[in-house]
Amino acid sequence: MTKKNINVTIEVELLKEAKEQIPNISSFFESCLRNYLNGTFPVSDANKILQQIGQLQADLYLLNQNNDVQQKIKDKENLEKDKAWRFLWNDYNTKLILDDRLMKKAIEVLGMDNDNLEEILDWVLLTDVKVDTNYWEDVLKKYNKHKDEL
């Protein structure tokens, strides 16, 4: 098969980058032309794939946005729990008497019943375990671990 020299105009930077990545540019162009003319160059498939990629990128963006929203909701709920717990704990720790108003709010926000919450308050007050009383999750986790060990 005979070959013919042709002139092709390509941006200088593109040609420079192509030479770094493609060892034989002439062979590469020849192969691309052959596949295109034989119908084996899947241009329509490439367009479908690009559309799928675009849709998947949009879906991923929406999922990430949803995850961000869910995380923000969870963070807000945790802040509310921490606040209700701290108010109750700080008051109980100084007075050793339960404030009914604070207890009612803590029961509502923490989803605990009166007896369990009183038990946790007493445990925190009397335990030797280091508990960060600023964070409800830390208190509950350490209390449950202590309870499981009994």
Side-chain angles (χ1 to χ4, degrees):
M1 199 181 274
T2 59
K3 296 191 177 195
K4 179 175 175 132
N5 283 335
I6 62 168
N7 288 329
V8 178
T9 305
I10 300 175
E11 291 179 17
V12 174
E13 290 299 316
L14 183 60
L15 181 60
K16 182 179 176 182
E17 188 176 332
K19 284 182 178 180
E20 291 173 5
Q21 297 182 26
I22 303 168
N24 187 335
I25 293 177
S26 294
S27 176
F28 174 78
F29 279 122
E30 190 175 311
S31 176
C32 287
L33 284 172
R34 186 174 292 109
N35 286 330
Y36 180 80
L37 294 172
N38 291 336
T40 57
F41 192 74
V43 174
S44 63
D45 289 347
N47 287 334
K48 287 179 191 174
I49 291 169
L50 287 173
Q51 286 175 345
Q52 288 174 335
I53 289 171
Q55 182 61 48
L56 291 172
Q57 285 175 326
D59 292 347
L60 181 60
Y61 173 78
L62 292 174
L63 283 172
N64 284 335
Q65 290 292 75
N66 186 44
N67 287 342
D68 289 347
V69 167
Q70 295 300 322
Q71 186 60 48
K72 286 177 183 174
I73 289 170
K74 185 178 179 184
D75 291 346
K76 185 177 183 314
E77 289 171 356
N78 285 339
L79 284 173
E80 288 299 314
K81 288 178 180 181
D82 293 343
K83 182 179 165 183
W85 163 255
R86 272 194 315 271
F87 284 165
L88 179 64
W89 165 250
N90 289 337
D91 186 69
Y92 182 71
N93 190 33
T94 56
K95 297 178 184 174
L96 298 179
I97 298 172
L98 287 171
D99 179 298
D100 289 338
R101 184 181 51 82
L102 293 174
M103 186 65 154
K104 183 179 178 186
K105 179 69 175 177
I107 288 169
E108 176 188 316
V109 173
L110 301 175
M112 303 286 292
D113 63 41
N114 190 64
D115 292 339
N116 283 339
L117 202 46
E118 279 188 50
E119 188 176 317
I120 292 171
L121 285 163
D122 288 338
W123 176 79
V124 172
L125 187 65
L126 302 172
T127 189
D128 293 335
V129 176
K130 182 163 176 57
V131 180
D132 188 347
T133 56
N134 289 312
Y135 301 100
W136 169 246
E137 289 297 321
D138 187 56
V139 170
L140 186 60
K141 186 169 87 173
K142 289 183 178 168
Y143 170 76
N144 286 333
K145 183 179 177 186
H146 163 76
K147 202 169 159 186
D148 289 344
E149 291 173 352
L150 295 178

